[in-house]
Amino acid sequence: MESYRMQESALESSVGGSYLLIRPTTQTDEDDQSKARCSKITKVVVGMLLFSIVITCTVLSKLSLISLTSHLNYTIGEIRQIELNNSETATATAMYNRAAGLFWQLLFIILIPQFVTFFRALFFGVCGKQSRTFPWPTRRAIVTGAVASVFEVAAMTIFVFYVLPRLPSSVAILALGGVFSAQALLDSVYLKWSPFVRHHDYMEVDEHNNSTHPKGWAAAWRKRGARLLENKFSRMISLFLQLASVIVLAVIAALQCDSRDRALVGCGTAFSLLVLGAVWSSKVQQESHRAPKMAERTLGSNVIREREHVLPTTGFKSSFINSSLQIVLYSLITVLLSLVDHDINPLCHNDKCSLSRVFAWTAGTTVSGLSFDTFLIQILSSFFGYAFMWISCTMVLHRWGLALPLYLCTPISFFVCFIVSKCDENFSIVRFSKWCSDSVYLEVALTAGAMLWIGQTSTMCVYVWKKKNLILAKDNAMFLTPRYDGVFLEQYMLLNRQVAKGKKSRGTVAPPVAIDDTPRARTIFVCSTMYREDSEEMKQMLSSVYQLGLHYQKRKDEDHDYRDHFESHIFLDGGASGTQLNYFALQLFSLFGETLHVDPKVFQRIDTPYGCQLSWDVADVMPIYVHLKDSFKVKNKKRWSQVMYMNYVLNFRVKRNIRNLRNWRLWDQRATAAPCDKDDVRMDDNNTFILTTDADIQFTPESATVLLDRLDSDPKVGAVCSRTHPQGSGPLYWYQVFDYAIGHWFQKSAEDILGTVLCCPGCFSVFRCSALRSVLDTYSTEVTSASEFLTKDMGEDRWLCTLLVEKGWRLLYCAISENYTHCPESMDEFFKQRRRWIPSTVANLSLLISHASQITKGNDRISMLFVVFEAIMVFSTAISPATVMMVIAAGFTSSFGIEPTTTIALLLVFCLLYAAVCLYGDPQLQLDIAQVSTFLFSLLMGVVVVGYVINIEQDIQNVTATILNWTGEGARGPLPTFIQPSTIYLFIYVLVFLVATALHPSEWTCILHFIWYIIALPSGYLVLLIYSAANLDNRSWGTREAASSGGQVGVYKSATRIAEKVWTRAMLCLDQCTCRPVIPPLLPPALPPLPENCKDPLSAPPLPSLAHEADETCFMQPEAGRADLVDRREFQLTADVHRWLDTLECGQYAQCFEQHGYHTVHLIADMKSEDFDALGISERGHRLRIEREAKRLTSLPIERAIPDDVTDWLQKLELQGYSRLFNACGYSSKEDLESVKGLTMDDLKKMGINKRAHQQRLLQGTKRLAYPSAVEVSISQSKVILENSSKQEVEDEDEEKLFWTGLLRTTLEPMKATFMSDVELKGKLKSLRNTVLCVMLLINLMWIVLILTLKIPISGTYKIPEQTLTLLFLFIYTVVLLIQFLAMIVHRCITLVHYLARVGPQSEADAF
């Protein structure tokens, strides 16, 4: 396939100037740079805040623990002294109680993290809905975990209760940082030998000329430093430093203790630190959490391995088993110590339980002489330290919130303790414990501590500093086990950090490889559906795609390892007709040069089985393809466009890529072999995504990127949607601003937190290809029932998401991703749009509820409570008309004292009448009545608002009077006055929206449109629901069905049209009831004879009336002599028409076409049904064949322009045969074109132009006499370019053509309307419509009767007032609102974490 490309010199000399392929620097670039600087500062500030919190928590945790153990050591010394003196006094009892209380505090410090892990694992891994995600560990893993738990409990007991209390404070702080030596030993054993520096550490590849050149000195030394730390020799040095330090600290600890405790302290220190380091090492942790091989194969298919490289783990199930075992073991240890240890009796002493003394919460109370604050500080600081470390890793700020604080924890703790001990002798650590008895020991301890810290730092650089995880990653992607330790907080978190491992690499850091050791990267297909959008809407979508291409190019330039690949595909319905492109395809083509900054002349054009394909390269890195669909070759509408690009990506691009790259080299061989081509990206269903957009969407590259974060963070997420903002102007736009806001603030946030989002709209969402593959076959099926029509064709996006939920996928809502789309600005278009949305939403929710048992079993995010919540939402939608009626009735009762029953009765009458109009009236009449009623209801809602304000004022006065009455001296009035439920609900409603606005500071202006939403409440929940339910059988799309969008229709115009229709109907009825004399009609004027086969007397139209025919006879008679002025040779049938009719075997009708002026195929292509009626073709089969094939012909659109003269104008219309006639009538020069523009049908008949086709063509030409707009000029130029371009047809043996041919044959081939069960489907839709209307009427009537008859008497003279008729409604809505509000708060917290993770530079180096 060869592309149509111009030479460089020709491009420079082409008309219109050259096209810049590189975007110049603008004010927007400067703003982006300023925004980037601010973002970087914000990132640093957040990082410093996290560092401060984590370092404070870790230091407090360490120092408070040492304080408690120092107290225990002091207490044991006092007990021994008392035993030596044989004194049994009150002091001895107090000391025994103090020792027991301290023991329990230390035990709780160990057990509380175990209990947190136990309950967390119980909820998520055993009993929760997500428990099926984690398999049970193997027997070997269970045994390994049990043995490790036994050793951990033994080592922890010895260290906490026997070693740590006897250590000097300085040695204790250093010993708490000595667990890491066992991990260094394992690294030294398993790490392979490697050279210090490799060739590619200081050389880099130039991709443009395939050459290498030295790197900068900074990058080279950075690589050499990283290689040095990964070298086995350097690990051996680190191991030697750490082991030597631990031995030295153990010796110093033994020498500093009493003689009888030296052996216990010395051996216990070394044993505890080495054993804890061994059982917490990554090797043992992975073995104890190993899943069965079958589970690895099953779950591994859904894991995103190209980023995390984490094998499926038993996760919470193993943690549940291990934490349960450790809790039991610590309980046994407690009993054992009470029997064998005389110094510490943890159970009781002197018949008094010491456990009850641990939790003395009274202010100032001490526990056996020790303040409870120290214990509480240790517990809280450990927990919050772990929590903020977890948050830091989630935000990809682990260097600030994990690595750096943990590096500095021991030095800072040592320094703080030293400074405080010098300044305050009463400090608890030095009050009950010595700092160090000898300065020589202190110097040796400091030296050993420095060696230990250096050795750990060199090892931790590999474990923590270089580890990269995804934004909002799951626990198993960040940590080996979902737990923390209260004693060795920072040491355990360092060892617990997840380490990436390749399949064959046994080191601690693995390259970015997949399971099969092939390089991976994400591939994102940006797929857009388009129909009849205007130029501005197309322009903003193309500009967004261009910005995405620039972002992609920038990332590749900044990071040579960045391998993500983007492509853009646009599918235009009806974009091509045969070999010709329609108006909207030309309009799209004309915008490419302006929006994408590409040369529109440099493109590739291919004729495909479905129509035509055009392609460009955007920013030299991102290809864009335009697929122009031919309506006669492929199915139309959005769902089938989605089926096209899903099949194209999944069944062609992905499969072809896997087949072509099957023999890739392993990653370990790339060091000595030539690197793979960066463009040859490995694609599979897990690392390939489809970004769906509408043709009028506007988005930023960041909005597209953040959606991928949520997909990468969880392999069970099938799709992610973003926050959609409407664009437009006028009151209807203001209404939709608030409507969109509450829909995302409350509904989508609640769905995201409580279960799963139920609709990821196709306007801007990202879908995982593996998820789409699981539902594609079902999504490609035809409609067979009325309910399927509502779910499939009226709400294709929601139905796709329903299928994904049924298959077990989770759908998310990402609030920091934003997009903007044009919303309807006219009432007609708005009602037609919601006519599709409302029934499809209710139908899909009903489908979800009906399949609740099946979905809850297959989807771990869906529970019955979530299904009940959605059922309440459906029920609240069904009773919305009755609810609105009661709201209006309550307002009228407060304002005018009208009985609620009267108001509701009148509203019911209106609803029934409007429903009748929707069932039997004209579609435009329905919309006109809706618009007028919206205006009237808005006025009524003003009265309702005033009524509720009166109610609130009365409630305030009543409550104030009651309070004054009951607080007065000796005054006691009647029972207090209750606030009306409506007032309480309004207060909650306003409060919730104010808090929601505060939580969305960037969208605070949405709350200003609250008033429009309230005023239009009856229209949105009463009129619109009736209109939607009554038009369930309407199968039209509703919006963008005309080539040109109409403007807004005002209330006055709608009211005028209604009045005209009512007057016409009244006059018709009056005319039918009045006796009038019968006047025989005149015969019509004689027409030229037609062929016999063209006469059809049975189908002849009725004869006109006398007066009308008499007038027309006068107009239709041409003036004498003008017939000779028409050049009839120009109007003879062309060879194309003869050839076309002969192909259809209908050549006998050639004279019919010529008689009526259809002498060219372009004129035949414009024919409508009534034009074929005028031909008078008698044979029905011939008529249908000609009409069917005429739709395949290409029409000749009339361009808006001012020709040189009338003759030029007629030539463009292909009616140059009338040149002499127009000249004779005074229309010749360019100035006469102004007169030509005012010609009417009567004028043409008077001139002697009686052929139907010529009349229509001339009238169309007069309408196009105008100065062309800039868009139309660009379209004309594009048309010229396309006509001069070379077309390349896909070869028969081409793989892509075979794919499209097979897909069209099996799925996308247009179905003949004659053979479709349209009549049956229409009958089913009408039956469904009638059922829905009856059910809605019944439910709303029952609800109204229930509320109106509700009277709740209360003992005494008080009775709830009449305004409480909406009590149940308010209760239901309040519960739903509060649930959504709480879910929104949780979702905002997640959004905040995601936002802070995305602020500033994205690379780890820049982030730090």
Side-chain angles (χ1 to χ4, degrees):
M1 293 180 289
E2 299 180 357
S3 60
Y4 171 75
R5 297 188 177 274
M6 306 292 292
Q7 297 295 330
E8 212 171 19
S9 58
L11 284 175
E12 294 178 355
S13 60
S14 61
V15 179
S18 61
Y19 290 86
L20 295 177
L21 299 182
I22 300 178
R23 184 168 59 96
T25 303
T26 61
Q27 182 66 31
T28 305
D29 297 330
E30 298 177 358
D31 296 340
D32 293 341
Q33 295 176 1
S34 176
K35 183 179 179 180
R37 287 192 296 268
C38 295
S39 300
K40 192 170 185 178
I41 294 174
T42 304
K43 192 98 170 183
V44 173
V45 171
V46 174
M48 294 178 64
L49 179 62
L50 289 173
F51 168 77
S52 303
I53 295 175
V54 174
I55 194 65
T56 302
C57 291
T58 52
V59 171
L60 286 177
S61 174
K62 190 183 293 288
L63 295 182
S64 58
L65 176 66
I66 296 176
S67 177
L68 293 175
T69 55
S70 300
H71 281 75
L72 180 60
N73 182 46
Y74 174 80
T75 304
I76 293 175
E78 293 292 329
I79 292 174
R80 291 180 177 178
Q81 187 67 31
I82 292 173
E83 291 177 350
L84 290 175
N85 298 332
N86 293 324
S87 57
E88 294 291 339
T89 61
T91 304
T93 303
M95 288 300 166
Y96 282 115
N97 289 335
R98 176 189 296 179
L102 289 170
F103 172 86
W104 282 107
Q105 289 183 351
L106 292 175
L107 183 63
F108 279 120
I109 289 174
I110 300 173
L111 284 180
I112 286 179
Q114 298 294 338
F115 276 108
V116 171
T117 304
F118 173 80
F119 287 109
R120 189 179 174 195
L122 180 66
F123 180 77
F124 290 106
V126 179
C127 300
K129 286 280 296 180
Q130 303 180 33
S131 60
R132 72 191 73 177
T133 305
F134 305 100
W136 287 100
T138 61
R139 295 180 180 178
R140 178 181 175 183
I142 294 176
V143 172
T144 303
V147 173
S149 298
V150 172
F151 277 96
E152 180 182 347
V153 171
M156 187 69 71
T157 302
I158 294 173
F159 184 80
V160 173
F161 296 110
Y162 291 98
V163 174
L164 194 59
R166 292 169 173 81
L167 295 180
S169 302
S170 57
V171 180
I173 293 175
L174 297 177
L176 285 173
V179 180
F180 218 83
S181 54
Q183 180 66 47
L185 176 62
L186 293 176
D187 292 342
S188 301
V189 172
Y190 285 100
L191 188 67
K192 295 180 179 179
W193 288 97
S194 60
F196 286 106
V197 183
R198 294 181 180 178
H199 176 73
H200 59 264
D201 289 341
Y202 57 89
M203 300 294 291
E204 63 180 357
V205 179
D206 189 352
E207 299 178 359
H208 297 287
N209 51 18
N210 295 326
S211 61
T212 60
H213 57 81
K215 294 182 179 179
W217 65 270
W221 279 104
R222 190 159 53 245
K223 281 282 187 180
R224 297 178 67 179
R227 184 64 60 190
L228 177 63
L229 293 175
E230 296 176 13
N231 185 267
K232 187 168 185 177
F233 180 74
S234 64
R235 297 295 181 84
M236 296 291 292
I237 296 176
S238 174
L239 172 64
F240 172 77
L241 291 176
Q242 295 184 61
L243 290 178
S245 302
V246 171
I247 295 174
V248 170
L249 289 176
V251 172
I252 295 176
L255 294 176
Q256 291 289 302
C257 297
D258 295 338
S259 57
R260 60 177 179 176
D261 296 331
R262 286 180 179 176
L264 175 63
V265 173
C267 297
T269 301
F271 171 79
S272 301
L273 295 180
L274 292 176
V275 169
L276 289 175
V279 299
W280 289 345
S281 63
S282 59
K283 186 69 176 178
V284 176
Q285 295 281 21
Q286 290 175 353
E287 288 298 327
S288 63
H289 288 73
R290 179 67 64 183
K293 293 184 178 180
M294 181 61 66
E296 288 187 4
R297 288 194 295 267
T298 303
L299 299 177
S301 61
N302 292 329
V303 176
I304 305 175
R305 302 171 186 268
E306 71 277 3
R307 289 286 174 153
E308 287 302 324
H309 328 293
V310 180
L311 289 176
T313 176
T314 55
F316 288 106
K317 284 187 170 65
S318 294
S319 299
F320 174 78
I321 297 173
N322 297 335
S323 60
S324 303
L325 179 60
Q326 292 190 26
I327 291 173
V328 174
L329 291 176
Y330 279 117
S331 301
L332 296 176
I333 289 292
T334 302
V335 177
L336 181 63
L337 290 179
S338 66
L339 298 176
V340 300
D341 196 335
H342 183 68
D343 296 333
I344 303 175
N345 190 351
L347 294 181
C348 61
H349 185 75
N350 294 335
D351 299 329
K352 293 182 179 180
C353 182
S354 58
L355 180 60
S356 60
R357 292 178 170 270
V358 178
F359 301 102
W361 292 92
T362 308
T365 303
T366 59
V367 180
S368 302
L370 176 64
S371 175
F372 186 76
D373 296 341
T374 306
F375 169 72
L376 190 61
I377 288 174
Q378 206 286 333
I379 295 297
L380 295 179
S381 60
S382 299
F383 176 78
F384 285 106
Y386 164 71
F388 279 98
M389 291 178 199
W390 184 87
I391 292 174
S392 301
C393 295
T394 304
M395 298 169 57
V396 200
L397 286 175
H398 60 280
R399 294 185 177 179
W400 287 99
L402 181 68
L404 192 59
L406 301 190
Y407 294 166
L408 303 179
C409 176
T410 298
I412 292 178
S413 299
F414 191 92
F415 179 76
V416 170
C417 189
F418 176 78
I419 295 298
V420 174
S421 64
K422 297 298 183 181
C423 300
D424 186 5
E425 296 181 356
N426 293 322
F427 186 54
S428 60
I429 296 180
V430 296
R431 179 183 176 186
F432 299 104
S433 177
K434 52 190 176 182
W435 176 251
C436 197
S437 60
D438 193 344
S439 60
V440 176
Y441 289 151
L442 179 61
E443 293 176 359
V444 174
L446 286 175
T447 303
M451 294 170 56
L452 181 65
W453 186 79
I454 292 174
Q456 287 188 2
T457 302
S458 62
T459 308
M460 286 187 294
C461 284
V462 178
Y463 275 87
V464 179
W465 190 268
K466 295 182 62 178
K467 169 63 182 174
K468 297 180 181 180
N469 58 261
L470 299 174
I471 295 175
L472 299 178
K474 296 295 181 181
D475 281 341
N476 64 334
M478 298 187 296
F479 303 105
L480 294 170
T481 59
R483 57 164 286 196
Y484 71 101
D485 188 78
V487 178
F488 296 92
L489 178 61
E490 83 284 357
Q491 295 290 296
Y492 184 82
M493 294 304 296
L494 289 172
L495 289 169
N496 195 34
R497 181 69 166 147
Q498 180 65 262
V499 182
K501 288 185 179 291
K503 182 179 180 181
K504 295 186 178 182
S505 176
R506 302 177 67 183
T508 57
V509 176
V513 299
I515 296 302
D516 55 355
D517 295 335
T518 55
R520 293 289 182 92
R522 298 176 302 186
T523 303
I524 298 92
F525 292 89
V526 184
C527 298
S528 309
T529 55
M530 186 176 293
Y531 185 39
R532 287 177 172 176
E533 286 75 12
D534 59 35
S535 60
E536 292 299 325
E537 294 172 342
M538 292 181 179
K539 186 182 298 183
Q540 70 177 15
M541 188 274 291
L542 294 176
S543 299
S544 300
V545 172
Y546 175 68
Q547 294 297 327
L548 184 62
L550 290 181
H551 177 77
Y552 174 47
Q553 183 185 34
K554 181 179 179 182
R555 288 291 303 274
K556 290 190 67 175
D557 294 341
E558 293 176 351
D559 185 5
H560 294 289
D561 295 329
Y562 182 73
R563 302 176 59 83
D564 287 355
H565 177 69
F566 286 83
E567 284 186 17
S568 177
H569 293 262
I570 300 175
F571 289 79
L572 177 57
D573 264 327
S577 179
T579 59
Q580 299 295 323
L581 275 61
N582 72 357
Y583 173 83
F584 294 97
L586 295 173
Q587 175 180 276
L588 176 64
F589 184 90
S590 66
L591 298 173
F592 271 58
E594 176 184 357
T595 56
L596 301 181
H597 298 270
V598 297
D599 192 342
K601 299 179 181 179
V602 182
F603 69 98
Q604 189 178 55
R605 178 175 179 177
I606 305 173
D607 288 337
T608 60
Y610 59 82
C612 179
Q613 181 188 110
L614 309 176
S615 62
W616 288 264
D617 282 336
V618 179
D620 294 333
V621 292
M622 180 178 177
I624 182 170
Y625 301 87
V626 179
H627 305 265
L628 304 176
K629 297 168 56 179
D630 191 336
S631 302
F632 296 98
K633 297 180 180 179
V634 67
K635 292 178 181 177
N636 269 333
K637 291 195 176 181
K638 181 179 178 179
R639 181 162 73 97
W640 298 112
S641 295
Q642 293 175 333
V643 171
M644 282 185 66
Y645 64 65
M646 289 178 189
N647 276 281
Y648 175 73
V649 173
L650 296 175
N651 297 327
F652 178 71
R653 293 295 300 276
V654 173
K655 289 185 177 180
R656 185 182 65 174
N657 180 273
I658 293 175
R659 183 172 61 254
N660 293 343
L661 303 178
R662 185 173 296 169
N663 297 322
W664 272 39
R665 288 180 293 272
L666 301 179
W667 187 89
D668 291 337
Q669 299 175 354
R670 289 193 299 161
T672 56
C676 299
D677 188 0
K678 293 177 71 68
D679 293 332
D680 292 335
V681 180
R682 175 66 181 270
M683 289 189 292
D684 58 27
D685 289 349
N686 284 325
N687 73 331
T688 306
F689 308 94
I690 295 180
L691 172 62
T692 63
T693 73
D694 282 347
D696 61 344
I697 206 70
Q698 181 182 2
F699 63 92
T700 61
E702 292 76 14
S703 295
T705 307
V706 296
L707 293 179
L708 298 173
D709 294 340
R710 305 303 304 273
L711 284 166
D712 288 341
S713 64
D714 189 354
K716 292 190 71 63
V717 174
V720 184
C721 63
S722 69
R723 168 70 164 97
T724 301
H725 298 270
Q727 288 180 322
S729 59
L732 196 57
Y733 157 72
W734 301 334
Y735 170 86
Q736 292 175 88
V737 167
F738 188 79
D739 186 47
Y740 275 66
I742 62 175
H744 289 84
W745 291 0
F746 296 101
Q747 184 63 26
K748 282 199 180 296
S749 297
E751 291 177 349
D752 183 275
I753 299 301
L754 300 178
T756 178
V757 174
L758 298 179
C759 180
C760 290
C763 65
F764 192 73
S765 297
V766 176
F767 292 83
R768 190 188 302 275
C769 283
S770 56
L772 293 177
R773 188 180 294 279
S774 63
V775 301
L776 181 56
D777 293 339
T778 307
Y779 189 67
S780 304
T781 56
E782 291 285 349
V783 173
T784 58
S785 64
S787 59
E788 288 186 358
F789 168 75
L790 297 180
T791 55
K792 295 182 179 181
D793 286 352
M794 291 289 102
E796 65 285 336
D797 296 332
R798 185 171 286 271
W799 184 54
L800 175 62
C801 295
T802 301
L803 294 177
L804 292 175
V805 172
E806 288 181 347
K807 290 294 184 179
W809 295 95
R810 185 189 180 191
L811 314 181
L812 298 180
Y813 163 54
C814 180
I816 64 172
S817 174
E818 298 180 320
N819 66 89
Y820 298 84
T821 183
H822 286 272
C823 65
E825 298 180 8
S826 65
M827 188 67 69
D828 292 0
E829 189 176 1
F830 175 76
F831 266 66
K832 291 177 182 179
Q833 181 193 69
R834 297 305 171 99
R835 171 179 59 79
R836 293 185 288 108
W837 287 8
I838 295 175
S840 64
T841 300
V842 176
N844 279 278
L845 288 178
S846 302
L847 183 65
L848 176 72
I849 296 170
S850 62
H851 297 170
S853 59
Q854 176 184 351
I855 294 177
T856 51
K857 292 178 182 178
N859 195 312
D860 55 12
R861 294 294 305 181
I862 303 295
S863 63
M864 289 305 300
L865 292 178
F866 180 76
V867 176
V868 171
F869 173 79
E870 294 298 333
I872 294 175
M873 299 300 298
V874 174
F875 177 74
S876 63
T877 302
I879 64 172
S880 293
T883 302
V884 172
M885 293 181 194
M886 290 185 292
V887 169
I888 296 175
F892 271 58
T893 301
S894 301
S895 299
F896 305 110
I898 302 176
E899 286 294 328
T901 53
T902 304
T903 306
I904 292 177
L906 294 175
L907 291 174
L908 279 174
V909 172
F910 164 78
C911 293
L912 294 175
L913 291 177
Y914 183 63
V917 172
C918 293
L919 289 174
Y920 305 106
D922 180 74
Q924 188 58 48
L925 178 62
Q926 303 173 28
L927 296 172
D928 292 338
I929 294 177
Q931 185 160 356
V932 173
S933 61
T934 298
F935 175 74
L936 297 178
F937 274 124
S938 300
L939 299 180
L940 295 181
M941 283 303 296
V943 177
V944 173
V945 171
V946 173
Y948 277 96
V949 171
I950 295 174
N951 284 341
I952 295 174
E953 182 182 3
Q954 291 177 354
D955 288 339
I956 295 175
Q957 292 177 358
N958 293 337
V959 172
T960 303
T962 303
I963 293 175
L964 293 177
N965 187 27
W966 275 69
T967 57
E969 297 182 1
R972 290 295 184 269
L975 192 67
T977 302
F978 291 98
I979 300 178
Q980 299 182 44
S982 59
T983 303
I984 298 175
Y985 176 76
L986 286 176
F987 175 77
I988 297 175
Y989 194 80
V990 173
L991 181 62
V992 164
F993 276 97
L994 290 178
V995 175
T997 304
L999 294 176
H1000 298 80
S1002 61
E1003 304 176 27
W1004 68 270
T1005 55
C1006 295
I1007 197 65
L1008 301 179
H1009 302 295
F1010 174 76
I1011 183 63
W1012 306 108
Y1013 190 81
I1014 292 297
I1015 289 177
L1017 194 66
S1019 178
Y1021 290 91
L1022 180 65
V1023 180
L1024 182 57
L1025 278 179
I1026 296 174
Y1027 175 78
S1028 301
N1031 284 276
L1032 285 180
D1033 59 330
N1034 190 341
R1035 302 179 59 188
S1036 64
W1037 191 254
T1039 55
R1040 302 188 189 277
E1041 290 187 338
S1044 58
S1045 58
Q1048 297 188 16
V1049 179
V1051 177
Y1052 174 77
K1053 189 172 182 179
S1054 297
T1056 303
R1057 287 200 301 224
I1058 294 174
E1060 289 177 353
K1061 291 180 180 180
V1062 171
W1063 177 260
T1064 303
R1065 293 293 179 91
M1067 291 296 102
L1068 180 60
C1069 294
L1070 181 62
D1071 188 42
Q1072 293 177 353
C1073 298
T1074 304
C1075 294
R1076 300 179 59 186
V1078 180
I1079 304 176
L1082 296 179
L1083 293 177
L1087 294 176
L1090 296 178
E1092 285 296 325
N1093 52 12
C1094 293
K1095 296 179 181 180
D1096 189 7
L1098 296 178
S1099 60
L1103 297 177
S1105 62
L1106 173 63
H1108 178 71
E1109 186 61 36
D1111 292 339
E1112 269 202 19
T1113 304
C1114 298
F1115 281 113
M1116 292 181 61
Q1117 299 300 328
E1119 296 182 8
R1122 289 191 176 180
D1124 299 334
L1125 299 177
V1126 179
D1127 190 353
R1128 299 187 181 277
R1129 293 173 300 177
E1130 296 289 342
F1131 298 140
Q1132 294 179 357
L1133 292 186
T1134 61
D1136 294 336
V1137 177
H1138 281 292
R1139 190 182 308 112
W1140 179 71
L1141 290 174
D1142 292 339
T1143 303
L1144 301 180
E1145 298 181 356
C1146 297
Q1148 65 271 27
Y1149 300 109
Q1151 189 176 357
C1152 294
F1153 281 90
E1154 184 176 353
Q1155 187 70 32
H1156 289 80
Y1158 298 101
H1159 61 283
T1160 65
V1161 293
H1162 302 304
L1163 295 176
I1164 298 175
D1166 293 331
M1167 294 181 66
K1168 300 179 182 180
S1169 180
E1170 54 270 21
D1171 297 328
F1172 285 101
D1173 293 338
L1175 286 179
I1177 301 177
S1178 59
E1179 297 295 337
R1180 180 175 178 272
H1182 293 166
R1183 155 70 186 273
L1184 295 177
R1185 180 190 300 176
I1186 294 174
E1187 186 174 359
R1188 181 180 64 249
E1189 295 299 326
K1191 296 178 181 179
R1192 299 178 180 270
L1193 299 176
T1194 303
S1195 63
L1196 181 64
I1198 305 174
E1199 298 180 358
R1200 188 190 299 268
I1202 304 298
D1204 296 335
D1205 50 28
V1206 176
T1207 301
D1208 185 23
W1209 175 66
L1210 292 173
Q1211 289 177 351
K1212 292 181 178 180
L1213 298 180
E1214 295 186 342
L1215 298 176
Q1216 56 270 23
Y1218 289 118
S1219 298
R1220 294 172 57 195
L1221 176 62
F1222 271 79
N1223 290 334
C1225 295
Y1227 307 112
S1228 58
S1229 64
K1230 186 175 184 179
E1231 289 75 10
D1232 295 330
L1233 289 174
E1234 186 175 355
S1235 302
V1236 171
K1237 188 173 177 61
L1239 289 176
T1240 63
M1241 179 66 74
D1242 294 337
D1243 296 332
L1244 296 178
K1245 292 178 180 179
K1246 191 174 182 179
M1247 292 172 60
I1249 303 176
N1250 295 321
K1251 293 186 177 182
R1252 184 184 184 92
H1254 297 174
Q1255 292 173 349
Q1256 295 176 350
R1257 186 71 172 175
L1258 289 170
L1259 291 177
Q1260 293 175 1
T1262 57
K1263 295 179 181 179
R1264 304 296 293 175
L1265 284 174
Y1267 292 106
S1269 63
V1271 175
E1272 292 171 331
V1273 172
S1274 180
I1275 292 176
S1276 300
Q1277 296 176 353
S1278 301
K1279 186 177 180 180
V1280 175
I1281 295 175
L1282 287 169
E1283 289 176 351
N1284 296 330
S1285 64
S1286 60
K1287 306 171 189 176
Q1288 197 72 25
E1289 186 177 356
V1290 181
E1291 299 178 359
D1292 292 338
E1293 66 274 7
D1294 188 271
E1295 186 179 5
E1296 184 171 351
K1297 181 178 181 179
L1298 295 177
F1299 163 76
W1300 285 119
T1301 303
L1303 183 62
L1304 263 64
R1305 183 175 58 253
T1306 58
T1307 306
L1308 298 176
E1309 185 177 1
M1311 301 179 66
K1312 304 298 183 182
T1314 306
F1315 304 114
M1316 295 175 63
S1317 56
D1318 284 358
V1319 178
E1320 182 181 356
L1321 179 60
K1322 190 173 182 179
K1324 292 180 179 180
L1325 285 173
K1326 287 186 177 181
S1327 177
L1328 178 63
R1329 177 199 64 185
N1330 298 334
T1331 303
V1332 169
L1333 286 174
C1334 292
V1335 170
M1336 284 187 60
L1337 178 61
L1338 180 61
I1339 292 177
N1340 285 272
L1341 285 177
M1342 292 177 60
W1343 186 253
I1344 291 173
V1345 171
L1346 177 64
I1347 298 301
L1348 290 180
T1349 56
L1350 180 63
K1351 305 293 182 181
I1352 308 178
I1354 299 180
S1355 59
T1357 58
Y1358 177 75
K1359 186 173 70 173
I1360 295 179
E1362 294 290 338
Q1363 285 78 5
T1364 57
L1365 53 88
T1366 56
L1367 179 62
L1368 292 181
F1369 147 73
L1370 295 179
F1371 174 76
I1372 293 176
Y1373 273 68
T1374 302
V1375 171
V1376 172
L1377 185 63
L1378 290 180
I1379 292 175
Q1380 293 177 336
F1381 176 71
L1382 296 177
M1384 180 199 65
I1385 294 177
V1386 177
H1387 190 268
R1388 292 310 292 173
C1389 295
I1390 299 175
T1391 302
L1392 178 63
V1393 172
H1394 193 183
Y1395 172 77
L1396 293 177
R1398 268 289 167 186
V1399 167
Q1402 301 305 316
S1403 64
E1404 290 293 330
D1406 293 339
F1408 181 69

